[in-house]
Amino acid sequence: MFPTEPAAVNNGFGALLKNRAFMFLWLGQLVSQLADKVFFLMLVDLVVDKNSSYFPPAGVAKESMYPILMVAFTIPAILFGSAGGVFVDRLPKKLIMIGSDILRGLLVIGLAFLPRDFHILLLITFGVSTVTQFFAPAEQAAIPLLVKREGLIAANALFTSTMMGALIVGFLLGDPLLSLAETRIAKNYGPELVVALLYLLSAVVMLPIHFREKKLSSEILGDRIDLWADFKEGLRYLKKNRLVLNAMLQTTVLYCVFAALMVLALPLAEKFGLQGKQSGRFIAAVGIGMVIGAGVLGHWGEKTHHKPLPLIGFLGMALILAVVSFTNSQVLALGFCILLGVSGSLIGVPMQTLIQQQTPPIMHGKVFGFQNHAVNIALSAPLAITGWLNQEFGLRIVLIGMSLVVAVVGIWAWKNTRNVLQDVI
């Protein structure tokens, strides 16, 4: 499914392990991802715990604090998802990533010394989420600078595995880690200190990286930053490059499905008589499947050229979503969730690699910023409507409906992409 020929050398994980700069980038991403997950759990603990020192403002119920906090966490992703990419094209990627980690670390540690006021917590949450919108596109744009074109599929496979692994490990170990910080360090600032140190550690890990990026002239970029003009330029580029646009649409649909599954995990757990907090095992199973699929692609990716991987992935996800709605075995459901993750990796890894391969360096920031924006919206929309759909129509109908949508999108995307790929090859 890629417009490149397999290289004669080993371009799998073995080659990446010898790439010192890339390994520092990967380790930085790993630590940063863990910090994100632990920070999220810390926010939940700060407002949901019955012994919380944060009290609701006048006119706000305590049970409304968490939804309000999540809105503050989500809004920057929608507002600034594309804006971050504009700066990525104009500033050194290393400066943006390390600076973002340091800023997030300072914001989190500030919580420990500022008054325990809910409005301050909202502002800090908003700030951390805003800074994250600059880190994400810079990270994606950095990968092609450190890895040769033929090694991108393995690099993206490793990054996808790390992202899902951090999701699993972060949510499994986050709570014990925060509890340990409260008891061993300090109840009032222990958790904040741990999260801040994780962000700062990510910055330190990436310090040795040397990027060979060309400094673009002001004639190419313009003398001043115009967010709206740069946004329109990125949009025009995507309209002209159907290959990149189609790949981006497919990754967006993939994240829509995963976001919907995060909501449906709760009724799925109830179907098997599990408690609400045990619903995470289904999400973890999908993550394990993504890690397995990404690992296979990363190791044997050179053998998958010109194969319809995304089509196989979409049809596999469609079939699994339909079958899960009829299974009455928890073990089988978990197995299907693993296969769902494997199918998802057949879409996410090759499509992200394709975007990196086909986007010129001058457009990296704009394109990855736009993609970050689209993914953030894709993650938000299903969270808002999937619960309501489940209440109105039931779990089985919703899963079958998702199955049909995924199958249609997969077939449509393949038909639209196949001819373009043949032209590129």
Side-chain angles (χ1 to χ4, degrees), residues 42 46 53-54 108-114 116 178 180-197:
M42 186 187 76
L46 287 176
S53 54
Y54 284 92
V108 174
I109 199 63
L111 280 176
F113 302 100
L114 292 171
R116 297 279 170 165
L178 291 174
L180 189 65
E182 285 186 351
T183 56
R184 294 296 180 90
I185 302 177
K187 183 174 179 59
N188 292 332
Y189 62 85
E192 290 89 342
L193 182 61
V194 167
V195 175
L197 286 176

Side-chain angles (χ1 to χ4, degrees), residues 8-343:
V9 296
N10 175 25
N11 296 310
F13 289 139
L16 292 178
L17 292 174
K18 300 176 183 178
N19 188 332
R20 184 171 176 268
F22 175 81
M23 292 308 296
F24 280 125
L25 178 66
W26 171 70
L27 286 172
Q29 180 230 14
L30 172 61
V31 178
S32 181
Q33 289 273 353
L34 287 173
D36 288 339
K37 306 305 178 291
V38 179
F39 174 68
F40 182 84
L41 289 175
M42 186 187 76
L43 291 179
V44 175
D45 191 50
L46 287 176
V47 297
V48 174
D49 187 66
K50 61 181 181 180
N51 297 319
S52 171
S53 54
Y54 284 92
F55 298 99
V60 177
K62 184 172 178 58
E63 55 269 19
S64 300
M65 293 172 67
Y66 175 67
I68 293 173
L69 201 61
M70 290 304 99
V71 170
F73 194 79
T74 304
I75 286 178
I78 298 174
L79 293 180
F80 309 120
S82 297
V86 174
F87 291 90
V88 170
D89 285 333
R90 298 170 180 271
L91 298 173
K93 278 82 176 166
K94 180 178 177 179
L95 175 64
I96 292 177
M97 290 188 295
I98 292 178
S100 297
D101 276 334
I102 292 174
L103 278 175
R104 287 186 290 181
L106 293 176
L107 285 169
V108 174
I109 199 63
L111 280 176
F113 302 100
L114 292 171
R116 297 279 170 165
D117 183 272
F118 184 63
H119 296 99
I120 293 177
L121 182 61
L122 282 177
L123 287 174
I124 296 293
T125 301
F126 186 90
V128 170
S129 182
T130 299
V131 175
T132 302
Q133 308 316 310
F134 293 82
F135 183 91
E139 180 187 65
Q140 284 298 325
I143 297 175
L145 297 177
L146 301 176
V147 179
K148 293 181 179 179
R149 183 183 177 90
E150 60 270 14
L152 283 176
I153 188 169
N156 282 294
L158 185 59
F159 264 64
T160 300
S161 301
T162 305
M163 181 179 68
M164 300 308 298
L167 178 68
I168 299 167
V169 174
F171 283 129
L172 286 177
L173 300 183
D175 186 52
L177 182 62
L178 291 174
S179 299
L180 189 65
E182 285 186 351
T183 56
R184 294 296 180 90
I185 302 177
K187 183 174 179 59
N188 292 332
Y189 62 85
E192 290 89 342
L193 182 61
V194 167
V195 175
L197 286 176
L198 284 173
Y199 280 126
L200 295 176
L201 177 60
S202 174
V204 171
V205 167
M206 291 187 289
L207 278 175
I209 301 176
H210 175 66
F211 289 107
R212 296 178 180 176
E213 54 181 320
K214 297 179 181 178
K215 187 175 181 180
L216 300 174
S217 66
S218 59
E219 294 180 2
I220 298 175
L221 293 176
D223 294 324
R224 63 187 181 87
I225 294 177
D226 188 332
L227 295 180
W228 179 241
D230 285 337
F231 177 79
K232 290 191 294 183
E233 183 183 354
L235 206 55
R236 284 194 298 269
Y237 171 79
L238 290 174
K239 286 181 179 179
K240 291 179 181 178
N241 195 319
R242 289 176 54 209
L243 183 65
V244 174
L245 178 60
N246 196 283
M248 193 176 294
L249 289 174
Q250 291 182 61
T251 57
T252 301
V253 172
L254 176 65
Y255 281 106
C256 276
V257 173
F258 285 164
L261 287 175
M262 291 181 69
V263 178
L264 295 177
L266 184 58
L268 189 62
E270 293 173 349
K271 176 182 177 181
F272 298 110
L274 301 175
Q275 297 178 3
K277 62 182 181 181
Q278 295 175 307
S279 62
R281 63 181 62 180
F282 296 101
I283 304 298
V286 175
I288 291 170
M290 285 286 288
V291 172
I292 293 172
V296 171
L297 286 174
H299 192 69
W300 291 288
E302 67 274 7
K303 298 180 181 179
T304 62
H305 290 274
H306 314 312
K307 301 295 190 300
L309 296 180
L311 177 64
I312 296 171
F314 275 117
L315 294 181
M317 289 182 71
L319 178 63
I320 293 165
L321 287 170
V323 172
V324 165
S325 65
F326 291 97
T327 184
N328 293 314
S329 168
Q330 181 189 160
V331 175
L332 276 178
L334 289 171
F336 284 134
C337 285
I338 292 176
L339 292 177
L340 189 72
V342 173
S343 298

